[in-house]
Amino acid sequence: MSVERDLQLAIDRVGEEPDIAGLVVRVETEDKTLVWEGSMGELDPERPFFVASTTKLYTTAIVLRLSERGCFNLDDRLVDLVDPDLVIGLHVSRGIDRTDQITVRHLMAQTSGLADYFGGRRR
């Protein structure tokens, strides 16, 4: 059997679980060359889909590692790390733009005051 067939069989087995709606797996080399891609269920590798909170752990690990390496401090303001024109008006509350108060720590702890993406803007 080929490795590709083995991978697809493994995905199909996972798909037999009743709580799994779909699965996409992508295998790449270090130079980002696609080696293999497979899917099952309601998901398609070519169609975007929401991954919800599953990326929070990875994002936190990467941000903490970058902070540890001295790339930035958790208390640095967002507007000092990215072009302020990109985020202007991101956090307007009661007519006041508070975007310049948001820090990396706020974003990581989800205490920035930004509205829930799925819940819409709070006024």
Side-chain angles (χ1 to χ4, degrees):
M1 260 194 208
S2 71
V3 172
E4 291 86 359
R5 179 147 171 73
D6 288 346
L7 287 168
Q8 187 61 52
L9 287 172
I11 289 174
D12 292 341
R13 274 194 303 275
V14 170
E16 293 171 3
E17 296 293 322
D19 295 333
I20 305 293
L23 178 68
V24 173
V25 174
R26 182 179 177 103
V27 179
E28 296 181 0
T29 60
E30 252 184 82
D31 66 357
K32 302 296 183 207
T33 305
L34 176 64
V35 174
W36 182 83
E37 188 173 68
S39 66
M40 56 70 52
E42 300 172 12
L43 298 179
D44 177 347
E46 300 301 318
R47 238 179 63 218
F49 55 92
F50 291 111
V51 293
S53 296
T54 59
T55 59
K56 288 178 187 171
L57 177 63
Y58 300 106
T59 302
T60 300
I62 291 167
V63 167
L64 290 175
R65 178 168 275 183
L66 290 170
S67 177
E68 183 179 79
R69 290 182 178 175
C71 296
F72 53 81
N73 187 292
L74 294 179
D75 294 315
D76 286 347
R77 297 179 321 151
L78 177 64
V79 295
D80 295 330
L81 298 172
V82 300
D83 182 350
D85 291 338
L86 292 175
V87 294
I88 193 164
L90 182 66
H91 182 24
V92 177
S93 176
R94 298 182 183 153
I96 300 170
D97 188 355
R98 293 183 168 88
T99 305
D100 66 342
Q101 298 171 20
I102 298 173
T103 66
V104 174
R105 187 180 307 276
H106 289 137
L107 293 171
M108 297 311 303
Q110 298 179 29
T111 58
S112 65
L114 296 175
D116 181 342
Y117 177 82
F118 291 105
R121 292 189 99 163
R122 295 182 187 133
R123 305 233 185 249

